[in-house]
Structure formats: structure tokens, C-alpha cells
Amino acid sequence: MSEEDVVTYEVEDQVARITLNRPEYRNAQNSQMTYALDAAFQRATDDAAVKVIVLAGNGKHFCAGHDIGTPGRDVDRSFDRKAVLWWDHVDKEGGDQRFARESEVYLGMCRRWREVPKPVIAKVHGACIAGGLMLAWACDFIVASDDAFFSDPVVRMGIPGVEYFAHPWVMNPRAAKEFLFTGDRFDAQRALSLGMVNQVVPVEDLEDTVTAIAGRIAQMPRFGLALTKKAVNQAEDAQGMRTGMDSVFGLHHFAHAHNAETADDSLGGLDAKAMARGNREQE
Ligand code: ZN
């Protein structure tokens, strides 16, 4: 599969549509996908014909998380780094390698996309799990279909949530604890009641609803939208989101290191199949 294929890009009526395109793997994100996403966001940022961006997933699900086991898993591959000023992870070992890689492709990329100076709407259907949450949360709006569900089950790996630790800000601290402690799925209605998503609509109405919202936003002036987005993001950062995330990133990496010391690997020996089995057994 070529670099372009894992993410598709189209523009129509001032709206860029960026679509995750690994439907056979429930759009699991490998680094190839994060860099293709980054290129698509850069393209939409630079394109004067684009006012609004829609991020969606092809197939039955929005995104099942980071790639922890498909044939396209590419953790040992180098890419031209964009998100942070740090060295390449590939020839490093242990925590040095993990910190470099995750700073770049997970936390750094998500922050970079959150700061795209155009409104971004996540169009979420089906699964939005772990690394998938990070993509949706980095967007300005989330419009979900009624079949959408959200979960972060990585506590099962002994890890305190995914790298972009927005949990207490996108819901509230008490709900975030329930979400993490149980690993349970929050359905679209629960996500709506917590303020994590903007709207929930029947799955057959999702496309039209997102198109209508994008169309309304596209009538606003480009620069006004950019300043407004920055204003709200700055307020969120002043509420501690950025520093909170940085401190949790340390705990996250401590957990990876503990796993690497005491179990088979930094994920506590749990691959995608073992995670799915664990989640099922708990139900
Ligand atoms: Zn990690």
C-alpha cells in the first residue's frame, strides 16, 4: 500500500475531507498513517480554497487505535520528523527509543493537529478506541453517529491512558476515572451527556449533518475562525491541559518502562488480540 492510500484527501465546497483508509484494520494507526495524516493537514492548512476540515474513517469504524499488531506495523521505521525537535528513535534503545518515537508520532502529532489554524470536525462512527480518541479529541468538533462508542482500555496494560491525555478536559475528572478504571465503552449518548461530543445523529444522517455544519462554518471569515480557534485553545491550555498532559506523559513512559522491566514488552505483553480478549472477558 502506498503512503497516500492510508489517508485520502478531497476538497469540495471549501471543505477538505481527510479520511483514514485502513478499513481492513479498523483504521489502526501505524506511523505511515500518522505522517500521511500530517501531510493532509498541512495541505489543507496551506490550501486557500479550504475553510473547514473534516476528519473521518473509511469502513465500519472511525479508528480502533494505534497499530499494535497488523502486518503494516512500522515502529522500527524512520520518517522525516515534523512534530518535535528530537532525534530519530530507530537506532536508540529502551526508554530513549520509546520517548523519542511517542513524543513525535503520538503526543507531538496530536498537538500539531489540534493547532491546525482551521476548524476541524471529527466525523465519528463505530469504534473510537485509545489512539482513535486522540485523533477525535484533537479536532474542534466531534459529530458522532448513534452507533459510535469510545473507550480507552490501556489501563489493562498497566498504562494510565493514551499519550494525548486529554481525558479530564474532554469529559470531567470523575468521568475520566470511570472511563479509565473500567475501560468500559461510553456510547455516543453518554459522550454527549459529558460534553465530549457536539452532536449525536442517526448513522444515516451523519454525512449530511457534518456537511451542513461545515457549510455553516465555511461562511465565517478564515482569519476570524483561526483567531477564535486559538483563543479557545489558549484558554484550555491556561486551564492546565498542556502542562497536565506533559506531566502524565512522564507517568505514561514510566509505565512503559515498568512493563519492559517486568513483562515481555513495554505493552505488558498484550497485543491487539489479547486486549480484545481481556475486554470481552470483563464484559
Ligand atoms: Zn505509549
Side-chain angles (χ1 to χ4, degrees), residues 59-226:
K60 289 185 183 159
H61 301 282
F62 176 72
C63 179
H66 294 141
D67 187 343
I68 57 170
T70 82
R73 193 173 187 221
D74 54 6
V75 290
D76 295 329
R77 202 175 140 193
S78 278
F79 289 83
D80 185 14
R81 298 178 310 286
K82 305 267 189 205
V84 293
L85 188 60
W86 205 262
W87 44 73
D88 191 9
H89 71 284
V90 166
D91 59 345
K92 306 299 184 298
E93 291 182 319
D96 185 359
Q97 180 183 67
R98 277 192 300 274
F99 187 83
R101 178 169 182 276
E102 296 204 344
S103 296
E104 165 72 11
V105 296
Y106 295 156
L107 181 59
M109 283 290 185
C110 286
R111 281 180 166 169
R112 192 167 138 86
W113 302 332
R114 172 176 175 260
E115 289 168 13
V116 165
K118 296 181 179 180
V120 185
I121 302 171
K123 177 185 154 195
V124 176
H125 70 296
C128 181
I129 302 174
L133 295 168
M134 300 176 26
L135 292 186
W137 290 347
C139 298
D140 304 303
F141 276 36
I142 302 176
V143 182
S145 55
D146 50 14
D147 71 330
F149 61 90
F150 304 83
S151 77
D152 187 355
V154 305
V155 177
R156 189 178 297 290
M157 296 170 164
I159 298 171
V162 287
E163 292 83 4
Y164 184 83
F165 194 79
H167 310 57
W169 287 271
V170 297
M171 39 186 112
N172 61 63
R174 206 172 292 281
K177 286 175 183 167
E178 179 188 340
F179 191 64
L180 288 161
F181 291 176
T182 64
D184 282 350
R185 293 176 173 185
F186 282 10
D187 64 18
Q189 284 301 334
R190 180 84 194 273
L192 181 68
S193 72
L194 291 167
M196 196 218 290
V197 307
N198 294 78
Q199 278 194 50
V200 177
V201 296
V203 67
E204 60 273 18
D205 297 339
L206 184 60
E207 174 61 33
D208 287 350
T209 304
V210 168
T211 302
I213 295 170
R216 283 178 59 78
I217 297 172
Q219 292 167 30
M220 290 291 188
R222 173 186 58 79
F223 192 45
L225 288 168

Side-chain angles (χ1 to χ4, degrees), residues 20-23 25-29 33 57-59 61-65:
L20 310 173
N21 191 34
R22 295 183 82 203
Y25 303 116
R26 302 194 300 165
N27 295 321
Q29 297 165 52
M33 181 183 269
N58 188 14
H61 301 282
F62 176 72
C63 179

Side-chain angles (χ1 to χ4, degrees), residues 19-50:
T19 306
L20 310 173
N21 191 34
R22 295 183 82 203
E24 67 278 36
Y25 303 116
R26 302 194 300 165
N27 295 321
Q29 297 165 52
N30 55 7
S31 295
Q32 189 186 342
M33 181 183 269
T34 58
Y35 282 93
L37 260 179
D38 189 69
F41 279 123
Q42 183 74 60
R43 189 171 164 189
T45 298
D46 290 338
D47 186 346
V50 170

